[in-house]
Amino acid sequence: MPAGDVPRTLAQLIADYQARYGEDRARANLWWSSARSPEEALARAFYDWEDPDGRPLRRLNSHQFRLGYAQVGRALQAAQRHLPTLLEVADFDLLLAAFSAIWRIEDVFLEATLLTYDVSERFGRYRGLYPEQVYLHAGAGQGARALGISGDRVSRDRFGPVLGALEAAEIENFLCICKSDLSPGLLLH
């Protein structure tokens, strides 16, 4: 949003978010969902999407830097060893739980909530598995608390008719990106 221009309503914040990030997010979602094989989809899920000239990026998203390339690479290798299990999972919550279990079994991470969610959401797109609830970790949790909502995951309807109309993964992304612009009164308008 331009400096000094503060949206007054949640609908304006959402419109600004969609104008700034919607096209990029749509291209990213297409990239994650259009892999030619499960192996390719899994590898894509760990990194940012391809750039505009079509070259795949092996770049971590900025919120994954604390883990580092070596640790994320270990997590990918562990997930690849368990790909048959990941392909049997029937819904998003079970996919998220499967990735968490793989990290523990393979002794990759004790806790990597955000990476686990991101990889599950990206690989889930390939599988046609989407979160039904909004997961409130890291920045998404901060955004939800700014609106007066707490918990680990909550139903979309807790965000009211305007924000709740978005898909759960989009609400999670919006909360994270726009957290500093949110306040409890926004849900009332």
Side-chain angles (χ1 to χ4, degrees), residues 86 88-100 135:
L86 294 170
E88 292 175 7
V89 173
D91 69 40
F92 181 83
D93 291 334
L94 293 173
L95 183 64
L96 187 71
F99 277 112
S100 292
Y135 285 79

Side-chain angles (χ1 to χ4, degrees), residues 29 37 71 129 143 152:
N29 289 341
S37 69
Q71 193 73 340
L129 307 175
D152 293 331

Side-chain angles (χ1 to χ4, degrees), residues 21-34:
Y21 302 103
E23 186 178 320
D24 183 60
R25 184 137 169 98
R27 284 193 313 255
N29 289 341
L30 178 62
W31 189 68
W32 287 314
S33 65
S34 65

Side-chain angles (χ1 to χ4, degrees), residues 1-71:
M1 128 184 44
D5 186 22
V6 179
R8 293 180 308 262
T9 68
L10 186 57
Q12 289 170 320
L13 276 172
I14 293 168
D16 183 58
Y17 160 82
Q18 289 173 327
R20 292 179 67 193
Y21 302 103
E23 186 178 320
D24 183 60
R25 184 137 169 98
R27 284 193 313 255
N29 289 341
L30 178 62
W31 189 68
W32 287 314
S33 65
S34 65
R36 293 177 301 249
S37 69
E39 294 80 9
E40 181 181 339
L42 188 60
R44 285 182 180 192
F46 281 81
Y47 299 96
D48 258 348
W49 69 285
E50 67 182 316
D51 66 9
D53 72 3
R55 291 180 297 120
L57 295 175
R58 300 287 286 184
R59 187 181 79 209
L60 294 179
N61 194 285
S62 61
H63 58 264
Q64 305 297 348
F65 286 155
R66 71 175 181 81
L67 299 173
Y69 282 93
Q71 193 73 340

